Amino acid sequence: MAEPLSAPSTASPADRQSLRLIFAYETAAILILAVSLFWTAFFASRQQWPIAAADLLLAGLAAASWAMIRAGSLNSALIVSEVTLMIFTVCYALMFDEPSADIPRITHLYLLVIAMLGYINHLRRRSAFQLLVTAACLVGFIVLSSTTYAFPFARTIPDDIRAGGIWVNSILATAMLCGGIYAIQKEFTRPKGLMLDLSNAVRNRELRLHFQPQVDRTGQIIGAEALMRWQHPDRGLIPPNDFIPAAEAAGLMPLLGGWALAEACRTLSQWQDDPALARLTLAVNVSASQFQLEDFERTVLGTVRRHRIDPARLKLELTESVIVHALAPTVAKMNALRAIGITFALDDFGTGYSSLSYLRRLPVDQLKIDRSFVQESLESDRGGALVRSIVHLGIDLGFVVLAEGIETSAQHAFLLECGCHEFQGYHFGRPVDAAAFADHVRQAAAGGSPALLPAANDRTRRSA
């Protein structure tokens, strides 16, 4: 990633948001599991076997949800959890929580929590099904609040236990509702104006891809990285640093990333008809929130087939934040795409969650040395030694090693000496639009001037 779409040393806001969401749901599942097992043991000790069996069933549902989330099926886990918890709560209230003259019904309060969960997930990813779950929970809550109906065969929990249970359940339900209100408040305080503008930008074809060349050890252009720009109708060409962070915070990266992928495949389709361009690869950045979509690999496969491109010409760049959670499903997705020829690069290597165990298991083809290491490589002995170690590590593991952010001939010479395979940066060319990039490649192929260097006073060079 030649442009710092996120802070170099940390995951992007969108990536952190995705990881926090997954962690929150995992924690909730574990909490429900622990509480259910406690009540199972409690009622079993009192030989209340039907109630103990119901609580054990709830523990099983929580464990299944946790396992699905760990397997990378977050959306499926949420749908299954919401439906089963709604049914379980209604049945539990009708079977074991019949109101009496002294003790009111309390279990149905959790229907409000499930309804809010459904609405929060609808805000996260628009879904008519989530709205249906929310409506069903609210109807169930109203009915159970307004009547004393219970199953004819109900086995009501003894009042001495329910007397304490109403306090515990009221506190838990209220705490969960407060958490849900906070989550919704965070959703509605996002920059809605920018969200609408960016959504319209995709629809109105205001986004652009610019292309920065990647070269081999001989200086020959072998590919490019696709970098996003926004051609705003009033503000002109907006660089990514001015809108990518807001898009990440607003959860729009799957939308923008999907557009970038489709546009990159369309570009590769056009390049196939040009002898000078047909051999080039094109790298596209993929955010954690985009990669974690359950249908990500199907979307990529469908896009590749629709544009009828050679999959081997498409390279997907992943940051280390993508792999920090649920490594097994990440590897499965990558293998499904590599099976048709798509390659993967590990972007910004060394700035996030680097681990030799990840490198050993991940089916990546290329390591990209982050620009921060390149810039420090000639500033100190330690910086140079670190870059040499990264290059040698990549070579020993069989990866193609690419250094990005190269701005001087001295940096290039040092990285050549280290054994680096490929290079990218302003020393070889700035990001330009598709037409300018194609002209440059044709001129280079014909023996013309290869330079696409920026002006010396280009103040955007460190963000491009």
Side-chain angles (χ1 to χ4, degrees):
M1 180 171 58
E3 297 179 331
L5 299 187
S6 57
S9 60
T10 59
S12 70
D15 296 348
R16 293 194 298 269
Q17 184 183 49
S18 298
L19 296 175
R20 285 197 300 267
L21 179 66
I22 292 171
F23 176 76
Y25 284 129
E26 282 185 344
T27 302
I30 293 173
L31 189 60
I32 293 174
L33 174 63
V35 172
S36 301
L37 289 176
F38 168 79
W39 285 116
T40 298
F42 176 82
F43 285 114
S45 68
R46 289 180 166 241
Q47 297 186 346
Q48 299 280 346
W49 301 115
I51 306 175
D55 286 315
L56 186 61
L57 174 61
L58 180 59
L61 294 175
S65 296
W66 178 85
M68 292 176 69
I69 296 172
R70 291 293 297 176
S73 301
L74 176 61
N75 291 323
S76 298
L78 293 177
I79 291 173
V80 171
S81 299
E82 289 168 19
V83 172
T84 54
L85 286 175
M86 178 180 65
I87 296 173
F88 178 87
T89 302
V90 171
C91 292
Y92 197 97
L94 295 175
M95 182 69 184
F96 304 115
D97 195 18
E98 182 181 5
S100 65
D102 299 319
I103 307 295
R105 194 184 337 248
I106 196 66
T107 311
H108 65 299
L109 284 180
Y110 290 104
L111 289 174
L112 293 178
V113 177
I114 301 170
M116 183 167 288
L117 176 63
Y119 185 64
I120 291 172
N121 289 322
H122 169 73
L123 294 177
R124 183 180 68 88
R125 190 175 184 183
R126 303 292 172 174
S127 168
F129 178 81
Q130 296 287 359
L131 291 179
L132 181 62
V133 170
T134 299
C137 288
L138 292 177
V139 170
F141 173 79
I142 293 171
V143 171
L144 291 172
S145 298
S146 305
T147 68
T148 59
Y149 178 78
F151 289 142
F153 47 86
R155 301 283 297 272
T156 304
I157 299 173
D159 278 2
D160 61 325
I161 299 176
R162 295 176 65 229
I166 59 173
W167 289 95
V168 174
N169 287 314
S170 295
I171 292 172
L172 285 176
T174 301
M176 292 178 182
L177 287 172
C178 289
I181 292 171
Y182 174 76
I184 292 176
Q185 185 267 337
K186 292 286 286 183
E187 172 67 25
F188 280 110
T189 54
R190 289 177 176 179
K192 293 295 182 179
L194 181 60
M195 288 175 63
L196 181 59
D197 284 349
L198 280 172
S199 299
N200 290 335
V202 175
R203 188 180 308 110
N204 297 335
R205 303 179 183 273
E206 296 171 7
L207 297 180
R208 303 284 186 270
L209 284 186
H210 281 203
F211 304 89
Q212 185 170 37
Q214 297 175 338
V215 304
D216 63 11
R217 291 179 62 86
T218 67
Q220 182 181 12
I221 297 175
I222 56 174
E225 181 178 2
L227 303 167
M228 193 179 300
R229 300 288 189 270
W230 181 7
Q231 187 66 52
H232 195 279
D234 299 322
R235 298 169 57 189
L237 192 64
I238 302 177
N241 282 353
D242 290 352
F243 69 89
I244 290 294
E248 290 171 336
L252 288 176
M253 287 312 295
L255 173 65
L256 300 188
W259 173 86
L261 177 65
E263 186 67 13
C265 289
R266 187 185 69 82
T267 300
L268 283 172
S269 178
Q270 294 175 342
W271 287 0
Q272 289 179 151
D273 300 326
D274 189 321
L277 300 168
R279 60 183 175 78
L280 302 183
T281 60
L282 185 55
V284 183
N285 292 289
V286 177
S287 69
S289 53
Q290 180 184 3
F291 187 84
Q292 288 163 1
L293 296 176
E294 291 183 29
D295 61 348
F296 173 74
E297 63 267 44
R298 292 192 297 273
T299 300
V300 174
L301 292 172
T303 304
V304 167
R305 290 171 183 144
R306 184 168 65 254
H307 291 280
R308 298 179 181 179
I309 65 170
D310 178 2
R313 300 299 176 193
L314 178 64
K315 183 192 304 177
L316 302 181
E317 295 191 358
L318 307 178
T319 59
E320 296 167 26
S321 59
V322 174
I323 63 176
V324 71
H325 179 86
L327 183 60
T330 297
V331 171
K333 285 186 178 183
M334 294 174 69
N335 281 331
L337 295 173
R338 289 184 87 240
I340 68 165
I342 295 173
T343 58
F344 284 89
L346 187 56
D347 199 11
D348 297 341
F349 179 72
T351 61
Y353 306 93
S354 298
S355 168
L356 294 181
S357 65
Y358 289 151
L359 290 181
R360 177 174 55 85
R361 297 179 59 186
L362 278 176
V364 297
D365 306 276
Q366 182 181 75
L367 290 186
K368 296 190 71 175
I369 303 176
D370 184 68
R371 61 186 298 122
S372 61
F373 295 119
V374 172
Q375 291 167 0
E376 296 172 3
S377 61
L378 299 181
E379 296 177 0
S380 67
D381 292 341
R382 180 173 295 182
L386 182 58
V387 170
R388 285 193 189 93
S389 298
I390 295 175
V391 173
H392 293 162
L393 173 64
I395 293 174
D396 290 343
L397 292 176
F399 299 131
V400 174
V401 180
L402 183 149
E404 61 182 351
I406 299 173
E407 298 183 351
T408 67
S409 57
Q411 291 172 345
H412 182 212
F414 172 75
L415 289 159
L416 276 171
E417 179 190 344
C418 290
C420 196
H421 302 109
E422 298 176 3
F423 311 88
Q424 178 182 345
Y426 265 75
H427 182 62
F428 309 100
R430 71 182 188 275
V432 292
D433 60 37
F437 177 79
D439 288 342
H440 170 61
V441 174
R442 294 188 191 102
Q443 290 173 11
S449 172
L452 267 180
L453 297 177
N457 62 350
D458 186 349
R459 305 186 68 86
T460 66
R461 61 184 298 157
R462 295 199 178 272
S463 65

